[in-house]
Amino acid sequence: MADVAREAAVSKTTASDALRGHGRVSGATRDAVEAAALRLGYSPNRNARSLRTSVTETVALHIPEVLTSAEYYMSFVFGVTEQATRAGLNVTMISSGHLPHRGALPQVDGLVLCDPMAGDPVVEALMNSGLPVVTAERYVGDKESTGVVCSDHETTTVELLDHLRDMGAVRPALLASDSTAERAATVLDTYRRWCVRNGLPDTVHKAPFGSPPEVPRAEVARMLAGSPETDAVVCAADGAAVTVLPEIRAAGRTVGKDLLLASCVDSTTMRLSDPPITAIDLRPRDMGAECARLLCDILSGRSPRGTVRSLPITLNTRASTGLPRP
Amino acid sequence: MADVAREAAVSKTTASDALRGHGRVSGATRDAVEAAALRLGYSPNRNARSLRTSVTETVALHIPEVLTSAEYYMSFVFGVTEQATRAGLNVTMISSGHLPHRGALPQVDGLVLCDPMAGDPVVEALMNSGLPVVTAERYVGDKESTGVVCSDHETTTVELLDHLRDMGAVRPALLASDSTAERAATVLDTYRRWCVRNGLPDTVHKAPFGSPPEVPRAEVARMLAGSPETDAVVCAADGAAVTVLPEIRAAGRTVGKDLLLASCVDSTTMRLSDPPITAIDLRPRDMGAECARLLCDILSGRSPRGTVRSLPITLNTRASTGLPRP
DNA sequence: ATGAAAGCGCTAACAA
DNA sequence: TTGTTAGCGCTTTCAT
């Protein structure tokens, strides 16, 4: 930077201001400085800048370690990373297992928490860090997050249930997830209310969160044996819908004919399953990007704390719930 | 830090040395300083440290944006992150799309590249950054990486092909990936040599890298129609094996009976498919952790540049290639 | 075994 | 509009 200043025959301050577009400098000097910087291949030392400004230009990202929804989370990571990079921010991963040594949080300007689960000690520590936090989906603990990007699961779940009814289902059952993330609760509530509104009994089986994928299979087998009138199954847990296919077949049912099947989380697997499974596209990449964007906006003061943004999601109907919509 | 020094009644220098375990200080003073730091909840300012030492304690991580192997990559990310955190390093994600502004690389001590593809401009820029680079699997471009963690795909592929032969297959075909990552080439070579050694003709169909998952399906349909004598299919591309199941059934074949099916990449999907699919477990989390460990070792001088470490991988035999091994 | 002082590269405050 | 000075928090000489 001193070199750039000398090359452009100005002071360090002027060079600094010129490169950051600080309105102080005249057009001519700015061009001169920029040319000099380019010639010397200068790029600023982020550590020095951070030390001086106490702005790290870095955000931390926490992802729950759940491999059954790897596609969702990986897409989310790509979304956050690309958007943050665009905005000139670095993205630091936070280990889902343990916080760094001495309980010291990473030195960042803000946090993005994906599907924060109340009760997760790392999540709680991050929520209580005092740093601005944007969560993908609401955090249901005591602490309020600084910003939220959430989707309207209620509307889409109703849409899904209506679709099942329209396709002839009269006894839809729910294979619920009992994650403490918000989405799980919304789906369950919505399902129960929908049943009441439609004058139907509800059938709910739960697969404990983080249980191995064999568990939902067993649950569905039990469900079909115990409630044989079931003619549609909605799987809330990511990825579960595909894994229960064999049990459904083993019970003598045919998916898309005498048993409709749908998933609350879409993925390549759902699309390519046999038959393809009706699912809700949560648009994880856009979700990640929107979280990064909101965090930037909050950090720069463009958006106020407490901002809630909404990300549209859509139902993809496929053969597992009858013929795809035309 | 000045506060800690005052609290412990020593100089800043002594406090600094004490906290880093620099052998200068006596045991008593060190304890005093540590107690003081604990009392004050002190944690060092990484930026100031980095500015002074020009060590960032940060590594960057690059992941190819391929959603068909999201489970592999997400596990890899978790492995890297956890191991790096253990070693006191931060992990910064590098956007797979574009490099940061001004072409400036992130300011880090080293890089981890997962499955680096020759020809990818971001990968090439990173390889040429001059920073220490550890790659998961060899980089096949001109540049040499500083360290490599790789697996013995040749041996395991032979083991897989032998297994198919043992289970009765006489005409195994390969659905190859034409990624420029090393593994793709190794699998193809190994398959061809194995065919020669066993006096069998080879049948290879390719799915262009990054092609939508519908492509391998179509390839398999073509394969079964064009080479009906095929009695086993090995899928190199991640996730392809599951997606081709419907085509195989449509061709009137039964997986595990008159057509054996195997994947070169294991995943939850393979394990839970119907039937479960024989696959090679690449142990992505361990791979990530080992990459981080090797990079640490190289950065700290514990391992020399050019170190190559090997990660064992294993074949999981399942019903798709006949009965599981007892 | 400890302390004092200099300085990493940058930017905010103040002066001109 | 530009320059000068000080200092962010730490570690590393160098001196004691």
Side-chain angles (χ1 to χ4, degrees):
Chain A
M1 160 93 236
D3 297 343
V4 173
R6 198 173 330 106
E7 175 90 4
V10 294
S11 73
K12 283 195 299 171
T13 308
T14 305
S16 172
D17 289 343
L19 291 174
R20 279 172 307 143
H22 225 282
R24 266 174 64 134
V25 290
S26 72
T29 28
R30 203 193 43 225
D31 293 348
V33 171
E34 270 173 359
L38 203 62
R39 227 173 304 135
L40 299 177
Y42 166 83
S43 71
N45 181 318
R46 281 183 114 112
N47 290 308
R49 177 177 289 180
S50 298
L51 180 57
R52 185 62 242 244
T53 60
S54 47
V55 168
T56 61
E57 299 187 324
T58 300
V59 298
L61 173 56
H62 179 265
I63 299 287
E65 190 157 353
V66 179
L67 290 187
T68 45
S69 20
E71 183 174 333
Y72 180 89
Y73 291 127
M74 198 68 245
S75 303
F76 187 92
V77 172
F78 287 132
V80 170
T81 305
E82 200 201 16
Q83 184 57 39
T85 301
R86 248 191 247 287
L89 297 178
N90 287 328
V91 177
T92 294
M93 297 297 301
I94 296 187
S95 177
S96 31
H98 347 274
L99 285 173
H101 282 311
R102 300 172 140 283
L105 290 163
Q107 282 158 20
V108 297
D109 298 331
L111 306 167
V112 173
L113 306 190
C114 185
D115 286 353
M117 297 211 339
D120 179 326
V122 173
V123 168
E124 284 180 356
L126 296 172
M127 287 298 303
N128 289 313
S129 64
L131 289 166
V133 183
V134 165
T135 58
E137 302 300 338
R138 286 196 164 76
Y139 175 68
V140 290
D142 340 303
K143 205 78 184 185
E144 201 73 20
S145 72
T146 318
V148 181
V149 180
C150 58
S151 300
D152 187 354
H153 298 290
E154 184 167 342
T155 299
T156 322
T157 302
V158 167
E159 190 186 343
L160 170 57
L161 291 167
D162 286 347
H163 166 68
L164 292 175
R165 191 195 50 208
D166 295 347
M167 299 307 284
V170 294
R171 293 298 290 273
L174 177 68
L175 182 61
S177 150
D178 71 349
S179 150
T180 56
E182 188 209 10
R183 192 160 49 79
T186 305
V187 169
L188 180 55
D189 283 3
T190 306
Y191 167 76
R192 288 216 164 107
R193 281 206 304 277
W194 185 89
C195 285
V196 169
R197 221 170 34 241
N198 284 265
L200 298 176
D202 58 18
T203 309
V204 176
H205 281 236
K206 287 199 185 185
F209 185 75
S211 57
E214 283 77 4
V215 173
R217 299 175 80 138
E219 257 343 292
V220 161
R222 192 154 30 237
M223 177 192 284
L224 293 179
S227 317
E229 70 284 7
T230 300
D231 55 9
V233 176
V234 174
C235 294
D238 314 18
V242 171
T243 73
V244 303
L245 280 171
E247 311 306 307
I248 293 176
R249 293 210 180 94
R253 302 298 205 87
T254 306
V255 170
K257 308 271 188 187
D258 61 357
L259 190 86
L260 308 187
L261 180 66
S263 167
C264 290
V265 188
D266 202 359
S267 66
T268 315
T269 313
M270 296 299 158
R271 194 155 55 84
L272 298 172
S273 157
D274 183 26
I277 296 173
T278 292
I280 298 172
D281 182 358
L282 301 180
R283 298 176 51 205
R285 206 182 195 289
D286 296 333
M287 185 62 148
E290 194 56 45
C291 286
R293 211 173 287 125
L294 176 55
L295 184 52
C296 287
D297 289 348
I298 288 175
L299 290 174
S300 65
R302 281 192 300 271
S303 293
R305 294 179 165 241
T307 298
V308 177
R309 288 190 191 160
S310 159
L311 186 89
I313 53 180
T314 54
L315 179 64
N316 288 331
T317 57
R318 305 206 177 96
S320 73
T321 51
L323 290 181
R325 283 175 181 172
Chain B
M1 160 94 236
D3 297 343
V4 174
R6 198 173 330 107
E7 174 91 5
V10 294
S11 73
K12 283 195 299 171
T13 310
T14 304
S16 172
D17 288 343
L19 291 174
R20 278 172 309 143
H22 226 281
R24 267 174 63 136
V25 290
S26 72
T29 20
R30 207 198 34 229
D31 293 348
V33 172
E34 271 172 359
L38 202 63
R39 227 173 305 135
L40 300 178
Y42 167 83
S43 71
N45 181 317
R46 281 185 114 115
N47 290 308
R49 177 178 289 180
S50 296
L51 180 58
R52 186 62 239 244
T53 61
S54 47
V55 168
T56 61
E57 300 186 323
T58 301
V59 299
L61 172 57
H62 179 265
I63 300 287
E65 190 157 351
V66 179
L67 290 188
T68 46
S69 19
E71 184 174 333
Y72 179 91
Y73 291 126
M74 198 69 244
S75 302
F76 187 92
V77 171
F78 287 133
V80 170
T81 304
E82 199 200 16
Q83 184 58 39
T85 301
R86 247 191 247 287
L89 297 179
N90 287 329
V91 177
T92 295
M93 296 298 300
I94 296 187
S95 175
S96 31
H98 347 273
L99 285 172
H101 282 310
R102 297 171 144 283
L105 290 163
Q107 282 159 21
V108 297
D109 299 331
L111 306 166
V112 173
L113 305 190
C114 184
D115 287 353
M117 297 212 339
D120 179 325
V122 173
V123 168
E124 284 179 356
L126 295 172
M127 288 297 303
N128 289 313
S129 65
L131 290 165
V133 183
V134 165
T135 58
E137 302 300 339
R138 286 196 165 77
Y139 175 67
V140 291
D142 338 303
K143 204 78 182 184
E144 202 73 21
S145 71
T146 317
V148 181
V149 179
C150 57
S151 301
D152 187 353
H153 298 290
E154 185 167 342
T155 299
T156 322
T157 302
V158 167
E159 190 185 343
L160 170 57
L161 292 167
D162 286 347
H163 166 68
L164 293 175
R165 191 194 50 208
D166 294 348
M167 298 308 282
V170 295
R171 295 297 291 273
L174 178 68
L175 181 62
S177 149
D178 72 349
S179 151
T180 56
E182 188 209 10
R183 191 158 50 78
T186 305
V187 169
L188 181 54
D189 282 6
T190 305
Y191 167 76
R192 289 217 164 107
R193 282 206 303 276
W194 185 89
C195 286
V196 170
R197 220 170 35 243
N198 284 265
L200 297 176
D202 58 19
T203 309
V204 176
H205 282 236
K206 287 198 184 184
F209 185 77
S211 56
E214 283 77 3
V215 173
R217 300 175 80 139
E219 264 332 301
V220 160
R222 193 157 27 240
M223 177 192 283
L224 294 179
S227 316
E229 70 284 6
T230 299
D231 55 10
V233 176
V234 174
C235 294
D238 315 17
V242 172
T243 73
V244 302
L245 280 170
E247 312 304 308
I248 293 176
R249 292 209 180 94
R253 301 299 205 86
T254 306
V255 170
K257 308 272 188 185
D258 61 355
L259 190 86
L260 308 186
L261 180 66
S263 167
C264 289
V265 187
D266 202 0
S267 67
T268 315
T269 313
M270 297 297 158
R271 192 154 57 83
L272 297 173
S273 158
D274 181 27
I277 296 173
T278 292
I280 298 171
D281 182 357
L282 301 180
R283 297 176 52 204
R285 205 181 197 291
D286 295 333
M287 185 63 148
E290 194 55 44
C291 286
R293 212 175 284 126
L294 176 54
L295 183 52
C296 286
D297 289 349
I298 288 175
L299 290 174
S300 66
R302 281 193 299 271
S303 292
R305 293 178 166 243
T307 298
V308 177
R309 287 190 192 160
S310 159
L311 185 89
I313 52 181
T314 54
L315 179 64
N316 289 331
T317 57
R318 304 202 177 99
S320 73
T321 54
L323 290 181
R325 283 176 184 172

